[in-house]
Amino acid sequence: RHKFWETQPVGQFGDVADVSLPDGAIEPPSPLSEVRADPYPLPAAFEWFTCDLDDDALLADLYALLAHNYVEDDENMFRFNYSPAFLRWALRPPSFFRAWHIGVRAKESKKLVAFISGVPARIRARDDVVRMAEINFLCVHKKLRSKRLAPVLIREVTRRVHLENIWQAAYTAGVVLPTPITTCRYWHRSLNPKKLIDVGFSRLGPRMTMSRTVRLYKLPDAPLTPGFRQMELRDVAAVTRLLRAYLARYVVAPDFDELDVEHWLLPQEDVVDSYLVESPETHEVTDFCSFYTLPSSVLNNANYSTLKAAYSYYNVAVKTPLQQLMNDALIVAKQKNYDVFNALDVMENEGFLKELKFGPGDGQLHYYLYNYRIRNGIKPSELGLVLL
Ligand code: NHW
Ligand code: EN5
């Protein structure tokens, strides 16, 4: 059934519950001298191309490839539209490897036709902190689909990860592959219900009018929690302490240090937003919330071409109730003109989704580890990892 995935060190559908298999690496690392030295062969018309994201022209090509060929919803109404600034952020975290930004281009025209990327991360599974690659932005041009190019891209990124002596990876996908460690649901909170209905993202509920719907989703003009403000560079140490203590509760979570927090959580306009609560009395940082910006192109709509979406990222509620903290996140997202606020049912998110009027979406997100087994998987609420 899975001609490619059957050959890979991933949980195979039959073994998920096998008690005789230990958790951890499925196969041991090989000596680096045994890692294949040259790139996998591509069909003759194409060549490998390591992408330099400092180069604005290359970044524009990558942006265009993804804007036209990346992930769509099941009815092909929307397509993710990662911005160039977002892609630079997502692909250049601390200690990134340029060799892991892998393009395929047509030899003749030099047109970029496929891409896959990895970035390094330390991810903890139970008490085991593992160096991994986070794989993302796998994309093959629509005209080159179903020609088995994806397995070549995956093998090539695997080879380049192995060359750095890294043997595990984490990735997410909307499709089922062997074998998810957990399956999450997307939830959506309307901020601009009229537009969402006009573009077909949501529907007018039964016995609802437009004006009742607009009233239902109305939010205050400004955050309610005293001391709620944007995160700044001077907050990195405090946010890192808060986040490390919080993520320790989850079975699978990133192991962030201050450099990671500075990269992944310091606000960047229209890329990532982070807020915290600074106690007005003690000036302690007590709570934190964040979201990233990922618009979607609206396909085939006469009135609108894009949806501005915020995606819940890492949130830590210690002193402020989580529901109140996330309500403030909705309020600032509304102030900043987002149309919708999305969240997965990971971490403690179940505790605010319904109360804050999120509704379940039609999309799922499956989480995977490469060459790492976790027997029987985990629940979404045991997962402390959000990939972009
Ligand atoms: S998930 C988003 C993936 N991208 C898209 O959905 C964009 C739109 N679609 C496309 O561009 C986030 C194409 O349809 C793609 C497949 C390129 C998806 N993950 O070339 P063929 C990520 O980026 C398998 C993994 O003929 P295609 C995560 C499929 O099951 N495998 O198909 C990426 C089949 O194998 P099988 C996927 O439609 C994680 C084979 O590809 C997949 O022209 C990557 C068919 O290939 C997916 N999303 O191209 C894995 N979609 O065994 C990283 C399909 O079933 C693993 N397939 O026959 C770790 C590597 C690092 C290890 C380091 C130690
Ligand atoms: C990982 N980095 O399906 C990349 N999105 O629900 C791979 N649905 O937006 C991830 N179909 O439910 C790929 N509106 C997986 C995600 C692919 C994109 C995707 C889903 C997630 C989505 C929307 C629009 C559906 C349009 C028709 C949806 C309902 C919203 C409604 C708002 C009001 C309250 C009830 C829910």
Side-chain angles (χ1 to χ4, degrees), residues 1-5 69-71 116 135-140 144-151 154 157-158 161-162 166-169 171-173 175 177 370:
R1 279 224 21 259
H2 288 287
K3 270 279 157 264
F4 168 66
W5 281 110
N69 301 281
Y70 200 51
V71 177
I116 191 167
I135 306 298
N136 205 348
F137 307 112
L138 166 61
C139 184
V140 168
L144 296 172
R145 296 277 169 89
S146 307
K147 298 178 187 297
R148 311 299 299 181
L149 265 178
I154 295 167
V157 76
T158 302
V161 170
H162 285 166
I166 293 176
W167 304 88
Q168 272 74 33
Y171 50 104
T172 57
V175 296
L177 305 164
Y370 182 95

Side-chain angles (χ1 to χ4, degrees), residues 70-78 80 82 136 172-175 185-190 196 200-203 217 292 311 340 342 357-365 387-388:
Y70 200 51
V71 177
E72 301 179 5
D73 68 295
D74 62 351
E75 292 168 283
N76 313 103
M77 297 172 69
F78 307 98
F80 286 153
Y82 289 91
N136 205 348
T172 57
V175 296
R185 163 97 24 215
Y186 281 99
W187 289 68
H188 307 282
R189 204 307 183 170
S190 301
L196 294 181
F201 187 93
S202 72
R203 281 194 214 142
Y217 291 116
Y292 63 83
Y311 285 75
V340 62
N342 300 332
K357 300 173 186 165
F358 286 72
D362 62 1
Q364 291 194 328
L365 189 64
L387 300 180
L388 304 171

Side-chain angles (χ1 to χ4, degrees), residues 12-21 179 373-377:
Q12 297 298 329
F13 289 129
D15 321 331
V16 224
D18 191 331
V19 292
S20 69
L21 298 170
T179 299
R373 193 176 114 95
I374 296 183
R375 188 178 3 122
N376 285 328

